[in-house]
Every structure is written in structure tokens, then in C-alpha cells.
Amino acid sequence: GPAPYGLSRLLVDASGSPRQVLKPGERKSISTDRVRLVLGPPDEVAVVRWMFKQSASGVSSVDIARRLNGRGKRNAQGRPWSACTVNHMLSDLRYTGTTVYGRPNPRALIKPEPGKPKREPIRVDHAFPAIVTQELFQKTQSQRKLRARRPTDDELLGMLRSLWERE
């Protein structure tokens, strides 16, 4: 599949020697060759790091997208950034150099075969160079979880009471 924003696909031969960086849409043609993820263009790597730092400091995905669009930056498809795209990137483990194989596809309509054991995904840390550290990634996830927290009914009633008293 395509490399995520900030990463590139490197074609390597059977012995692991680099051949070339593949452009979007290019495929390998020799069956013994492999494709590895490597750091992408420096300007994209800088944008990814900036996004994680902003999120870790409490900036919302909507504001991150707005700031990127204000700076004239475009996403991997050449389109303006959206909060959805930013959210997807901020939850992507590949930016820490980790890859996961065998993850179930939530959109798949395939029912598991009876009696067949469920396969667990395989996680490979340090599979390729990381753009962000594990610490920054975890701090980002913590901040995102705080922002996504829904108030309890009592908290909502308290907010409504204070609004009613003010207005």
C-alpha cells in the first residue's frame, strides 16, 4: 500500500541493498525484492513532528488542520487537511517505527470459521526509522483521550446551572 505522509517506500534487493525510492503508485517488479518504509521528504517529516508536538501540548485536530491549511500545506493526496486526516495520523503507530501485521479489518464482512483459532496481530517495534518518539506518541494519545472525554450527567447539569445563572 501507499506510504503514510512523511514516510517513503524504499525498494531493496534480496540482500537488503537499497535500489531506489518508489514514487506513489510504483510497484516492485522482481519477486525477490522487498519494500521497506524509510523517512520521507524532510519537509513532510517536519510537518508530522510538528503535528504530534501540537497535539501533545493540547491543540485540537481541528486547529492543527486549520493551521496547516493556513500555511498552505497539503496532505498526501494534495488536498487541504481535515481534522479526520489529522486524527488518523495522530493514532498511526507507524510514525513510531512500529508496524502491525495481521490486524483484523473492521470493514470485512468475513465471518470467522467455526473451530478456527483467532489469530492475534503481530507487532514489530523498530521495524523502520521513527519520526516521533514513543514518549511523544504516548503524550499525544493521552491529550487526545482527555479532549475526547465526555462529561458525566452531573457535570453537564452543573454546566447548565452555571449557564442559567449567568444568562
Side-chain angles (χ1 to χ4, degrees), residues 4-55:
Y5 185 87
L7 293 169
S8 293
R9 297 177 320 133
L10 176 68
L11 183 67
V12 296
D13 63 19
S15 66
S17 300
R19 286 190 186 265
Q20 70 181 55
V21 173
L22 297 173
K23 295 182 182 104
E26 280 188 328
R27 297 175 178 226
K28 67 184 190 91
S29 59
I30 302 172
S31 64
T32 56
D33 285 354
R34 297 290 176 250
V35 176
R36 292 191 181 148
L37 289 178
V38 294
L39 294 180
D43 57 324
E44 289 185 11
V45 171
V47 167
V48 172
R49 287 184 178 137
W50 177 85
M51 289 169 67
F52 275 89
K53 287 176 185 173
Q54 292 294 301
S55 182

Side-chain angles (χ1 to χ4, degrees), residues 12-152:
V12 296
D13 63 19
S15 66
S17 300
R19 286 190 186 265
Q20 70 181 55
V21 173
L22 297 173
K23 295 182 182 104
E26 280 188 328
R27 297 175 178 226
K28 67 184 190 91
S29 59
I30 302 172
S31 64
T32 56
D33 285 354
R34 297 290 176 250
V35 176
R36 292 191 181 148
L37 289 178
V38 294
L39 294 180
D43 57 324
E44 289 185 11
V45 171
V47 167
V48 172
R49 287 184 178 137
W50 177 85
M51 289 169 67
F52 275 89
K53 287 176 185 173
Q54 292 294 301
S55 182
S57 68
V59 179
S60 72
S61 297
V62 171
D63 286 335
I64 291 171
R66 190 176 297 131
R67 292 175 189 181
L68 286 169
N69 291 329
R71 292 166 46 190
K73 299 289 183 186
R74 297 287 184 210
N75 68 19
Q77 290 78 36
R79 291 185 235 142
W81 290 91
S82 68
C84 183
T85 305
V86 172
N87 271 327
H88 183 72
M89 285 181 61
L90 293 174
S91 64
D92 194 337
L93 275 171
R94 290 179 291 183
Y95 291 112
T96 65
T98 299
T99 192
V100 180
Y101 298 99
R103 201 178 341 212
N105 181 354
R107 294 186 203 135
L109 298 176
I110 301 169
K111 293 182 180 178
E113 293 179 33
K116 190 173 183 181
K118 181 181 173 187
R119 286 190 349 201
E120 290 298 319
I122 300 168
R123 178 182 167 136
V124 181
D125 294 322
H126 312 295
F128 45 86
I131 292 180
V132 298
T133 64
Q134 279 288 349
E135 294 78 25
L136 180 57
F137 186 84
Q138 290 307 320
K139 189 171 182 185
T140 297
Q141 302 319 302
S142 297
Q143 279 295 326
R144 293 177 69 228
K145 191 179 276 189
L146 282 175
R147 284 192 301 276
R149 181 181 134 348
R150 303 275 182 210
T152 65

